[in-house]
Short mmCIF file of all heavy atoms in Angstrom, two decimals:
data_model
loop_
_atom_site.label_atom_id
_atom_site.label_comp_id
_atom_site.label_asym_id
_atom_site.label_seq_id
_atom_site.Cartn_x
_atom_site.Cartn_y
_atom_site.Cartn_z
N TYR A 8 14.03 3.37 -0.01
CA TYR A 8 12.59 3.58 -0.18
C TYR A 8 12.29 4.92 -0.86
O TYR A 8 11.25 5.06 -1.51
CB TYR A 8 11.86 3.49 1.16
CG TYR A 8 11.86 2.10 1.75
CD1 TYR A 8 12.20 1.87 3.08
CD2 TYR A 8 11.53 1.00 0.97
CE1 TYR A 8 12.20 0.59 3.62
CE2 TYR A 8 11.54 -0.28 1.49
CZ TYR A 8 11.87 -0.48 2.82
OH TYR A 8 11.88 -1.74 3.35
N LEU A 11 11.13 4.87 -4.42
CA LEU A 11 9.76 4.55 -4.84
C LEU A 11 9.15 5.77 -5.54
O LEU A 11 8.38 5.62 -6.49
CB LEU A 11 8.90 4.17 -3.63
CG LEU A 11 9.28 2.92 -2.83
CD1 LEU A 11 8.27 2.67 -1.73
CD2 LEU A 11 9.39 1.71 -3.74
N GLU A 12 9.50 6.95 -5.05
CA GLU A 12 8.95 8.17 -5.64
C GLU A 12 9.46 8.36 -7.06
O GLU A 12 8.73 8.83 -7.95
CB GLU A 12 9.30 9.39 -4.78
CG GLU A 12 8.87 9.28 -3.32
CD GLU A 12 7.40 8.92 -3.16
OE1 GLU A 12 6.57 9.40 -3.96
OE2 GLU A 12 7.09 8.16 -2.23
N ASP A 30 -7.50 6.63 -13.23
CA ASP A 30 -7.85 5.50 -12.38
C ASP A 30 -6.89 4.33 -12.59
O ASP A 30 -6.39 3.74 -11.64
CB ASP A 30 -9.29 5.04 -12.68
CG ASP A 30 -10.23 5.37 -11.54
OD1 ASP A 30 -9.86 6.22 -10.71
OD2 ASP A 30 -11.32 4.78 -11.50
N HIS A 33 -3.54 5.02 -11.19
CA HIS A 33 -3.47 4.88 -9.73
C HIS A 33 -3.20 3.44 -9.32
O HIS A 33 -2.31 3.16 -8.52
CB HIS A 33 -4.78 5.36 -9.09
CG HIS A 33 -4.81 5.15 -7.60
ND1 HIS A 33 -4.26 6.04 -6.71
CD2 HIS A 33 -5.29 4.11 -6.85
CE1 HIS A 33 -4.41 5.58 -5.47
NE2 HIS A 33 -5.03 4.41 -5.53
N ARG A 40 4.61 0.30 -6.75
CA ARG A 40 5.23 0.59 -5.45
C ARG A 40 5.41 -0.69 -4.64
O ARG A 40 6.43 -0.87 -3.95
CB ARG A 40 4.38 1.61 -4.67
CG ARG A 40 4.31 2.98 -5.33
CD ARG A 40 3.45 3.93 -4.53
NE ARG A 40 4.14 4.37 -3.32
CZ ARG A 40 4.87 5.48 -3.25
NH1 ARG A 40 4.97 6.27 -4.30
NH2 ARG A 40 5.48 5.81 -2.14
N GLU A 41 4.43 -1.59 -4.72
CA GLU A 41 4.58 -2.87 -4.01
C GLU A 41 5.76 -3.66 -4.58
O GLU A 41 6.53 -4.27 -3.83
CB GLU A 41 3.30 -3.70 -4.14
CG GLU A 41 2.06 -3.12 -3.45
CD GLU A 41 2.14 -3.13 -1.93
OE1 GLU A 41 3.09 -3.69 -1.37
OE2 GLU A 41 1.24 -2.54 -1.30
N GLN A 95 -5.49 -12.97 8.51
CA GLN A 95 -6.17 -11.70 8.31
C GLN A 95 -5.59 -10.56 9.15
O GLN A 95 -5.52 -9.42 8.69
CB GLN A 95 -7.67 -11.84 8.62
CG GLN A 95 -8.47 -10.61 8.20
CD GLN A 95 -9.95 -10.80 8.36
OE1 GLN A 95 -10.41 -11.51 9.24
NE2 GLN A 95 -10.73 -10.16 7.50
N MET A 96 -5.17 -10.85 10.38
CA MET A 96 -4.68 -9.79 11.25
C MET A 96 -3.15 -9.72 11.29
O MET A 96 -2.58 -9.08 12.18
CB MET A 96 -5.25 -9.98 12.67
CG MET A 96 -6.76 -9.88 12.75
SD MET A 96 -7.41 -8.35 12.00
CE MET A 96 -6.87 -7.13 13.20
N THR A 98 0.47 -8.36 10.14
CA THR A 98 0.86 -7.00 9.76
C THR A 98 1.65 -6.98 8.45
O THR A 98 2.08 -5.92 8.00
CB THR A 98 1.71 -6.35 10.87
OG1 THR A 98 2.83 -7.18 11.14
CG2 THR A 98 0.89 -6.17 12.13
N ARG A 101 0.79 -8.87 2.32
CA ARG A 101 -0.28 -8.52 1.38
C ARG A 101 0.24 -7.93 0.06
O ARG A 101 -0.54 -7.69 -0.86
CB ARG A 101 -1.24 -7.50 2.03
CG ARG A 101 -1.95 -8.05 3.25
CD ARG A 101 -2.90 -7.02 3.86
NE ARG A 101 -3.56 -7.58 5.04
CZ ARG A 101 -3.05 -7.56 6.26
NH1 ARG A 101 -1.88 -6.99 6.48
NH2 ARG A 101 -3.70 -8.11 7.28
N PHE A 104 -0.31 -10.02 -3.13
CA PHE A 104 -1.76 -10.08 -3.35
C PHE A 104 -2.26 -8.80 -4.03
O PHE A 104 -3.05 -8.85 -4.98
CB PHE A 104 -2.49 -10.30 -2.02
CG PHE A 104 -3.99 -10.27 -2.15
CD1 PHE A 104 -4.68 -11.43 -2.51
CD2 PHE A 104 -4.71 -9.12 -1.92
CE1 PHE A 104 -6.07 -11.41 -2.64
CE2 PHE A 104 -6.09 -9.09 -2.04
CZ PHE A 104 -6.77 -10.24 -2.41
N TYR A 105 -1.80 -7.65 -3.55
CA TYR A 105 -2.22 -6.39 -4.16
C TYR A 105 -1.75 -6.30 -5.61
O TYR A 105 -2.48 -5.84 -6.49
CB TYR A 105 -1.71 -5.19 -3.35
CG TYR A 105 -2.51 -4.92 -2.10
CD1 TYR A 105 -1.88 -4.62 -0.90
CD2 TYR A 105 -3.90 -4.93 -2.12
CE1 TYR A 105 -2.61 -4.36 0.26
CE2 TYR A 105 -4.64 -4.67 -0.97
CZ TYR A 105 -3.99 -4.39 0.22
OH TYR A 105 -4.72 -4.13 1.35
N GLN A 140 -13.01 -2.37 -8.86
CA GLN A 140 -14.43 -2.53 -9.11
C GLN A 140 -14.73 -3.69 -10.05
O GLN A 140 -15.76 -4.34 -9.93
CB GLN A 140 -15.01 -1.24 -9.71
CG GLN A 140 -14.96 -0.05 -8.77
CD GLN A 140 -13.62 0.66 -8.82
OE1 GLN A 140 -12.67 0.18 -9.44
NE2 GLN A 140 -13.54 1.78 -8.13
N LYS B 21 0.67 10.15 1.90
CA LYS B 21 0.85 8.72 1.66
C LYS B 21 1.11 7.97 2.97
O LYS B 21 1.92 8.41 3.78
CB LYS B 21 2.03 8.50 0.72
CG LYS B 21 1.80 9.00 -0.68
CD LYS B 21 3.08 8.90 -1.51
CE LYS B 21 2.82 9.39 -2.93
NZ LYS B 21 4.06 9.58 -3.70
N THR B 23 2.63 4.85 3.37
CA THR B 23 3.36 3.82 2.62
C THR B 23 4.69 3.51 3.30
O THR B 23 5.12 4.23 4.20
CB THR B 23 3.62 4.29 1.18
OG1 THR B 23 4.32 5.54 1.22
CG2 THR B 23 2.32 4.47 0.42
N ILE B 24 5.33 2.47 2.81
CA ILE B 24 6.57 2.02 3.42
C ILE B 24 7.62 3.14 3.38
O ILE B 24 7.80 3.81 2.37
CB ILE B 24 7.10 0.75 2.70
CG1 ILE B 24 8.21 0.10 3.52
CG2 ILE B 24 7.55 1.06 1.28
CD1 ILE B 24 8.50 -1.34 3.09
N ASP B 57 -0.27 1.56 1.00
CA ASP B 57 0.26 0.32 0.44
C ASP B 57 0.16 -0.80 1.48
O ASP B 57 -0.42 -0.61 2.55
CB ASP B 57 1.69 0.51 -0.07
CG ASP B 57 2.69 0.78 1.04
OD1 ASP B 57 2.29 0.78 2.23
OD2 ASP B 57 3.88 0.97 0.74
N SER B 58 0.74 -1.94 1.16
CA SER B 58 0.60 -3.08 2.07
C SER B 58 1.25 -2.82 3.42
O SER B 58 0.79 -3.32 4.44
CB SER B 58 1.17 -4.35 1.43
OG SER B 58 2.55 -4.19 1.15
N GLY B 62 -0.67 -2.90 6.82
CA GLY B 62 -0.14 -3.71 7.92
C GLY B 62 -0.02 -2.92 9.21
O GLY B 62 -0.35 -3.42 10.29
N VAL B 65 -3.44 -2.48 10.72
CA VAL B 65 -3.83 -3.69 11.43
C VAL B 65 -3.09 -3.77 12.77
O VAL B 65 -3.68 -4.10 13.82
CB VAL B 65 -3.53 -4.95 10.58
CG1 VAL B 65 -3.72 -6.22 11.41
CG2 VAL B 65 -4.43 -4.98 9.36
N TYR B 68 -4.58 -1.40 15.24
CA TYR B 68 -5.87 -1.93 15.73
C TYR B 68 -5.62 -2.98 16.81
O TYR B 68 -6.26 -2.96 17.87
CB TYR B 68 -6.65 -2.53 14.57
CG TYR B 68 -7.98 -3.13 14.94
CD1 TYR B 68 -9.13 -2.34 14.99
CD2 TYR B 68 -8.09 -4.48 15.27
CE1 TYR B 68 -10.36 -2.88 15.34
CE2 TYR B 68 -9.32 -5.03 15.62
CZ TYR B 68 -10.45 -4.22 15.66
OH TYR B 68 -11.66 -4.77 16.01
N LYS B 86 -10.65 5.01 -2.98
CA LYS B 86 -9.53 4.12 -3.32
C LYS B 86 -8.90 3.50 -2.09
O LYS B 86 -8.37 2.39 -2.14
CB LYS B 86 -8.49 4.88 -4.16
CG LYS B 86 -8.95 5.15 -5.60
CD LYS B 86 -7.86 5.77 -6.42
CE LYS B 86 -8.25 5.80 -7.90
NZ LYS B 86 -9.38 6.65 -8.21
N ASP B 89 -11.21 0.76 -1.13
CA ASP B 89 -11.02 -0.38 -2.04
C ASP B 89 -9.85 -1.27 -1.60
O ASP B 89 -9.94 -2.50 -1.64
CB ASP B 89 -10.75 0.11 -3.47
CG ASP B 89 -11.99 0.67 -4.14
OD1 ASP B 89 -13.10 0.42 -3.65
OD2 ASP B 89 -11.84 1.38 -5.15
N VAL B 90 -8.76 -0.63 -1.18
CA VAL B 90 -7.58 -1.39 -0.77
C VAL B 90 -7.89 -2.26 0.46
O VAL B 90 -7.43 -3.40 0.58
CB VAL B 90 -6.40 -0.43 -0.49
CG1 VAL B 90 -5.25 -1.14 0.20
CG2 VAL B 90 -5.90 0.18 -1.80
N VAL B 93 -10.52 -5.31 -0.73
CA VAL B 93 -10.03 -6.50 -1.45
C VAL B 93 -9.34 -7.49 -0.51
O VAL B 93 -9.28 -8.67 -0.80
CB VAL B 93 -9.11 -6.14 -2.63
CG1 VAL B 93 -9.87 -5.38 -3.70
CG2 VAL B 93 -7.86 -5.38 -2.19
N THR B 94 -8.81 -7.00 0.61
CA THR B 94 -8.19 -7.92 1.57
C THR B 94 -9.16 -8.27 2.71
O THR B 94 -8.77 -8.88 3.70
CB THR B 94 -6.91 -7.32 2.16
OG1 THR B 94 -7.14 -5.95 2.49
CG2 THR B 94 -5.74 -7.44 1.21
N GLN B 95 -10.41 -7.85 2.52
CA GLN B 95 -11.48 -8.17 3.48
C GLN B 95 -11.28 -7.55 4.85
O GLN B 95 -11.92 -7.95 5.82
CB GLN B 95 -11.68 -9.69 3.58
CG GLN B 95 -12.06 -10.31 2.24
CD GLN B 95 -12.13 -11.82 2.27
OE1 GLN B 95 -11.95 -12.44 3.31
NE2 GLN B 95 -12.37 -12.42 1.12
N LEU B 96 -10.37 -6.57 4.94
CA LEU B 96 -10.12 -5.92 6.23
C LEU B 96 -11.19 -4.88 6.56
O LEU B 96 -11.33 -4.47 7.70
CB LEU B 96 -8.74 -5.26 6.23
CG LEU B 96 -7.58 -6.23 6.35
CD1 LEU B 96 -6.27 -5.53 6.04
CD2 LEU B 96 -7.53 -6.87 7.73
#
Side-chain angles (χ1 to χ4, degrees):
Chain A
Y8 291 132
L11 297 183
E12 305 308 323
D30 250 18
H33 176 84
R40 295 179 74 93
E41 294 291 353
Q95 190 174 31
M96 297 307 289
T98 56
R101 297 180 180 86
F104 176 85
Y105 282 137
Q140 295 85 351
Chain B
K21 292 173 179 168
T23 56
I24 193 164
D57 67 2
S58 61
V65 171
Y68 179 87
K86 287 185 170 66
D89 287 344
V90 168
V93 295
T94 43
Q95 300 175 3
L96 286 168

